């Protein structure tokens, strides 16, 4: 992410790059058009201010008016109770399921039935959860902060948007993103395969070993 780019800038001859590894690649859902009324969306991460989840709930209230949502929140943190209170104020608490923190195996299993992953971080260097979602063929919507542009290719494995968009602009973008999914324009199998080719843990180990011998 940003840390890597800064190191390369300062020490170009001394830095080698090895991708992070993912060790679970579950066969993604068959990619096809679908027009189910409900879109299952996931928010994954610590429930802390920098993740921008409070604003994301405001955005999703708007999205839910035209694209009905089931919002799955995976994670725990200091904002948990405040987010529950906010969801009630926004009158979307019936759309939300708070799963709490799940270990990797349980999280992977829970993501099987998710249509997309949403992220609204104010900053995130190189979030592994995006890779883990793509490994299952799940497309991602996220702002262009930190090293997210090193993971998401716009309209290939997700949507990457300007971090300075307003709440209404972000809502409009997520509506477009959901339509893109429902129209079958993301190739889930291709997303998973490309992710595996780049981030497979076995490849990561080989690349590390090359640097040590």
């Amino acid at each position: 992410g940003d840390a890597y780019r800064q190191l390369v800038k300062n020490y170009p001859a001394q830095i080698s790059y090895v991708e992070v590894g993912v060790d679970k690649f579950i066969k993604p859902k068959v990619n096809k058009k679908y027009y189910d009324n409900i879109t299952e969306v996931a928010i994954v991460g610590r429930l802390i201010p920098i993740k921008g989840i409070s604003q994301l709930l405001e955005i999703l209230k708007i999205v839910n008016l035209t694209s009905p949502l089931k919002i799955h929140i995976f994670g725990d943190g200091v904002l948990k109770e405040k987010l529950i209170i906010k969801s009630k104020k926004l009158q979307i608490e019936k759309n939300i399921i708070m799963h709490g923190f799940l270990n990797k195996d349980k999280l992977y299993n829970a993501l099987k039935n998710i249509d997309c992953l949403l992220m609204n971080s104010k900053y995130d260097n190189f979030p592994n959860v995006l890779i883990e979602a793509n490994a299952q063929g799940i497309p991602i919507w996220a702002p262009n902060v930190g090293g997210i542009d090193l993971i998401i290719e716009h309209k290939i494995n997700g949507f990457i948007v300007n971090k300075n968009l307003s709440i209404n602009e972000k809502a409009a973008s997520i509506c477009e993103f959901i339509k893109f999914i429902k129209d079958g324009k993301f190739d889930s199998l291709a997303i998973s395969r490309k992710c595996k080719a780049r981030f497979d843990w076995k490849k990561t180990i080989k690349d590390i070993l090359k640097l040590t011998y």
Side-chain angles (χ1 to χ4, degrees):
D2 277 354
Y4 165 72
R5 284 189 272 233
Q6 190 61 44
L7 286 169
V8 168
K9 181 179 178 180
N10 294 336
Y11 310 101
Q14 299 167 267
I15 300 298
S16 296
Y17 184 77
V18 176
E19 299 284 12
V20 297
V22 176
D23 61 355
K24 287 185 181 293
F25 290 87
I26 297 172
K27 186 177 180 180
K29 293 184 292 186
V30 176
N31 189 70
K32 61 181 179 181
K33 292 184 181 180
Y34 77 97
Y35 296 99
D36 293 343
N37 194 38
I38 302 292
T39 301
E40 307 275 347
V41 306
I43 300 168
V44 182
R46 289 177 296 156
L47 308 184
I48 55 176
I50 200 169
K51 297 296 184 180
I53 298 172
S54 181
Q55 186 196 63
L56 187 52
L57 292 185
E58 295 177 36
I59 295 164
L60 294 181
K61 175 181 172 61
I62 299 170
V63 174
N64 188 62
L65 296 175
T66 54
S67 299
L69 304 173
K70 180 65 71 176
I71 304 162
H72 300 265
I73 301 179
F74 300 94
D76 211 340
V78 295
L79 292 183
K80 181 178 178 179
E81 294 304 320
K82 288 184 178 180
L83 292 173
I84 291 171
I85 292 170
K86 182 152 193 172
S87 72
K88 291 177 180 178
K89 287 183 178 178
L90 294 170
Q91 298 183 325
I92 57 170
E93 73 275 12
K94 291 181 180 179
N95 300 77
I96 295 175
I97 299 174
M98 303 286 288
H99 294 268
F101 173 80
L102 299 182
N103 64 37
K104 288 290 183 185
D105 287 338
K106 289 183 178 179
L107 178 59
Y108 270 107
N109 190 59
L111 290 177
K112 284 180 183 178
N113 298 312
I114 293 297
D115 296 308
C116 61
L117 186 142
L118 306 177
M119 186 173 190
N120 192 45
S121 293
K122 299 171 186 176
Y123 178 81
D124 223 316
N125 184 46
F126 198 83
N128 284 359
V129 67
L130 303 192
I131 300 169
E132 291 162 353
N134 269 181
Q136 296 197 57
I138 298 170
I140 303 151
W141 181 95
N144 189 5
V145 297
I148 289 177
D149 64 321
L150 298 174
I151 300 172
I152 298 178
E153 295 179 77
H154 191 62
K155 294 188 176 181
I156 301 297
N157 62 342
F159 271 32
I160 185 166
V161 301
N162 188 312
K163 65 181 180 180
N164 295 318
L165 293 180
S166 68
I167 287 175
N168 286 329
E169 287 170 331
K170 286 182 177 180
S173 176
I174 291 176
C175 286
E176 181 189 359
F177 174 61
I178 289 172
K179 186 177 187 304
F180 207 84
I181 295 168
K182 289 191 172 187
D183 286 346
K185 292 183 179 179
F186 284 116
D187 186 334
S188 297
L189 190 56
I191 289 172
S192 182
R193 284 174 174 168
K194 189 167 185 178
C195 183
K196 184 173 183 178
R198 183 179 173 191
F199 296 109
D200 186 3
W201 182 242
K202 292 178 183 177
K203 178 180 178 295
T204 299
I205 292 171
K206 289 179 182 177
D207 289 343
I208 291 172
L209 290 174
K210 286 177 184 177
L211 296 176
T212 58
Y213 290 101

